[in-house]
Amino acid sequence: MAAWLVRRAARRVAGELRGRGPGPWSLSSSTVPVLGVPAVDQSRAFCSVRRFAGDSAAAAAVEEPENGLAASGLQCVDFPGGKLSFVGEMNFLPESQTERINCYRVLDDDGGTIYNSRFQEVSKDLALKMYSNMVTLQIMDTIFYEAQRQGRISFYLTSNGEEAINIASAAALSAQDIVLPQYREPGVLLWRGFTLQEFANQLFGNKLDYGKGRQMPIHYGSNRLNYFTVSSPIATQLPQAVGAAYSLKMDKKKACAITYFGDGGTSEGDFHAALNFAAVAEAPMIFFCRNNGWAISTPTAEQFRSDGVVTRGQAYGIRSIRLDGNDTLAVYSAVHTAREMAITEGRPILIEAMTYRVGHHSTSDDSTKYRPADEMEHWRTARDPVSRYRKWVQGNGWWCGTQESQLRNNVRQELLQAIQVAERMPKHGLAELFTDVYDQIPSNLRQQERSLLDTIKRHPAEYPADVPV
């Protein structure tokens, strides 16, 4: 305490010698820029602590005056966390704002652009590639879901209703950006070049599966495509993504990390730890929340009392935006701008995409037990992001019914062929269960392997014949 008082007195004396000095920092009424327009960062005005900030121009340290008065004339004190003004009234912050935070949108329900909406322009080639990938993802979900129902694969979950989130966000990233997904983002991997055959290989766990059959279906991953392998535990990928983003910053890479998660993931401690970690480290990353209304069977009303997820970004000092997750152009524009801010300004960005999970949580779930079927049907038909985006593409004269039929037929045939190939492909051997963790397999794992082989010999009928022992 004595040392702190000495340092504080020294700063005060230095301030008096300098005279009044520069005025105190102020916060503008809004620190969120218009899309595509860089903003001068004033959100760090709360804290005058100096520390390593890399090359971020927005992180420069500024000294505050030590005259004990704010610009308004109110008495203030420089606490360790920053200078604060005193007031005589006892005011508690309200539990929520009087009005909900607005939702950014470009396309209306009929696929027309909203008057005066601002968005990132897309070329014809990019627009058609995005639409083609959305259709492919939609068909892929339908066929693989049916394959699970036929008993050909053990598990599956779909992205129905969230195709725009998958494809549009992926299109706004670069190949150098690192992706840490949850499990409902196969479209991001599809956009990056993961083939339908590679998807099928993983689902069937065959010899060409990069995970060697050790992961359950839909747990895709690709080192080649900078796509971390899906992990079942909820929200564990969030703090990991911050570490990946910070490594990009230290290496001075012109890239960012992006992590996806659902509204249910925000109830995990890892979510809060990750946001605070990213804000303090000024990591170039994007937190992308798919607020689809349901964490399996738990509705958002039972998840939190705040105005969704977007308000939590501000609480941690993170620039945030809420958007229509079923609007392909809104998703693309927001992620494109967020990426630029994250990299050039050295900061994390939080995106809350409002959408709806049209399908069941997975093939292990029957969502009609906890939500009305007509609600699901309404979102499947009236709010379908693929149909909505198609109307916009057709309105530009870039697409027609003939092209639609040809695309869907080609994708379906390619998928059916991929399934046939994946089914015939041999499985990995049993020994692969014990590899790729230690350089030299320890004795206790060797003992477990011998015990497993002995069990199989004693009960051969209980073990699948298509897996080499």
Side-chain angles (χ1 to χ4, degrees):
M1 176 62 73
W4 178 80
L5 290 173
V6 170
R7 289 196 299 271
R8 187 173 185 277
R11 291 198 303 269
R12 185 179 296 278
V13 171
E16 291 174 353
L17 291 175
R18 289 194 302 268
R20 184 174 181 84
W25 289 352
S26 61
L27 289 177
S28 64
S29 59
S30 174
T31 60
V32 179
V34 176
L35 278 175
V37 181
V40 177
D41 176 33
Q42 295 178 332
S43 63
R44 295 179 173 88
F46 288 113
C47 183
S48 60
V49 178
R50 289 177 178 270
R51 63 178 179 79
F52 171 74
D55 294 331
S56 172
V62 179
E63 293 202 14
E64 301 182 43
E66 288 285 351
N67 57 13
L69 293 176
S72 61
L74 296 175
Q75 185 180 11
C76 60
V77 172
D78 188 11
F79 286 102
K83 182 168 290 186
L84 298 174
S85 299
F86 292 125
V87 295
E89 298 180 5
M90 182 171 60
N91 293 319
F92 289 86
L93 293 176
E95 64 278 9
S96 61
Q97 299 182 5
T98 55
E99 295 183 3
R100 297 199 66 184
I101 293 178
N102 293 330
C103 186
Y104 170 61
R105 197 184 202 195
V106 175
L107 297 177
D108 59 28
D109 289 338
D110 295 322
T113 54
I114 298 174
Y115 178 70
N116 277 343
S117 61
R118 300 188 61 180
F119 61 95
Q120 188 71 30
E121 296 289 343
V122 295
S123 66
K124 175 182 177 181
D125 289 343
L126 178 59
L128 293 182
K129 182 181 178 182
M130 289 167 66
Y131 180 69
S132 176
N133 274 256
M134 290 171 70
V135 170
T136 301
L137 177 60
Q138 194 176 59
I139 297 173
M140 186 174 82
D141 278 344
T142 300
I143 293 179
F144 283 143
Y145 189 91
E146 293 173 352
Q148 192 281 333
R149 287 302 191 233
Q150 295 167 2
R152 300 166 81 175
I153 57 177
S154 61
F155 178 83
Y156 193 74
L157 57 76
T158 68
S159 303
N160 294 336
E162 301 180 33
E163 294 88 353
I165 287 174
N166 273 249
I167 302 304
S169 66
L173 302 171
S174 78
Q176 289 71 44
D177 296 330
I178 298 175
V179 179
L180 287 90
Q182 189 176 16
Y183 43 61
R184 215 176 294 277
E185 296 85 23
V188 178
L189 197 51
L190 177 68
W191 177 269
R192 292 195 160 205
F194 209 66
T195 66
L196 298 183
Q197 188 63 64
E198 287 176 304
F199 279 112
N201 291 338
Q202 197 283 328
L203 294 173
F204 283 90
N206 63 32
K207 206 170 185 64
L208 294 181
D209 170 28
Y210 302 129
K212 299 184 179 181
R214 293 176 295 206
Q215 278 274 24
M216 65 186 293
I218 66 89
H219 285 54
Y220 314 109
S222 174
N223 184 52
R224 170 176 58 90
L225 299 175
N226 280 333
Y227 190 96
F228 275 59
T229 301
V230 173
S231 178
S232 289
I234 301 299
T236 56
Q237 76 276 13
L238 271 63
Q240 297 166 2
V242 182
Y246 192 67
S247 72
L248 292 172
K249 175 180 178 178
M250 293 187 69
D251 291 340
K252 303 185 186 304
K253 299 287 184 64
K254 296 298 182 182
C256 70
I258 183 171
T259 184
Y260 296 84
F261 52 98
D263 47 275
T266 67
S267 295
E268 296 286 343
D270 281 341
F271 167 78
H272 300 276
L275 261 65
N276 190 58
F277 180 17
V280 173
E282 295 169 1
M285 74 161 299
I286 300 172
F287 292 97
F288 197 110
C289 176
R290 299 174 291 93
N291 188 344
N292 62 22
W294 295 91
I296 306 184
S297 60
T298 304
T300 53
E302 297 178 19
Q303 285 283 344
F304 36 72
R305 287 291 179 267
S306 61
D307 178 12
V309 177
V310 68
T311 56
R312 303 184 186 191
Q314 189 175 39
Y316 285 106
I318 294 178
R319 189 174 293 170
S320 310
I321 187 173
R322 169 179 284 162
L323 55 85
D324 181 352
N326 289 18
D327 182 343
T328 303
L329 294 184
V331 175
Y332 175 79
S333 299
V335 174
H336 184 278
T337 304
R339 180 182 182 275
E340 290 298 314
M341 290 191 293
I343 295 173
T344 60
E345 300 179 30
R347 66 165 68 250
I349 305 292
L350 171 63
I351 296 175
E352 180 185 23
M354 308 301 291
T355 184
Y356 187 84
R357 194 195 76 212
V358 172
H360 306 297
H361 172 74
S362 71
T363 50
S364 302
D365 174 49
D366 179 6
S367 59
T368 61
K369 300 296 184 182
Y370 52 81
R371 57 180 183 173
D374 58 346
E375 175 184 292
M376 298 163 59
E377 182 63 17
H378 168 73
W379 281 89
R380 188 186 68 82
T381 55
R383 298 292 181 87
D384 175 39
V386 180
S387 299
R388 183 170 161 194
Y389 183 57
R390 177 188 175 183
K391 293 175 183 177
W392 179 78
V393 174
Q394 283 183 319
N396 288 322
W398 297 341
W399 198 250
C400 67
T402 302
Q403 292 170 295
E404 181 78 13
S405 298
Q406 184 177 6
L407 171 64
R408 291 185 176 273
N409 288 333
N410 290 343
V411 171
R412 182 175 179 83
Q413 291 303 316
E414 185 179 351
L415 268 168
L416 294 176
Q417 176 66 23
I419 289 175
Q420 291 177 8
V421 172
E423 277 186 312
R424 292 194 299 265
M425 187 69 59
K427 307 289 187 183
H428 279 279
L430 185 69
E432 294 291 358
L433 280 175
F434 303 91
T435 61
D436 297 335
V437 176
Y438 297 96
D439 181 34
Q440 299 293 329
I441 299 179
S443 59
N444 64 315
L445 287 185
R446 288 296 187 192
Q447 176 58 38
Q448 290 180 33
E449 183 178 10
R450 287 192 294 269
S451 176
L452 177 58
L453 291 173
D454 181 64
T455 301
I456 294 171
K457 289 179 181 178
R458 287 186 285 111
H459 307 280
E462 304 299 325
Y463 191 77
D466 60 340
V467 177
V469 176

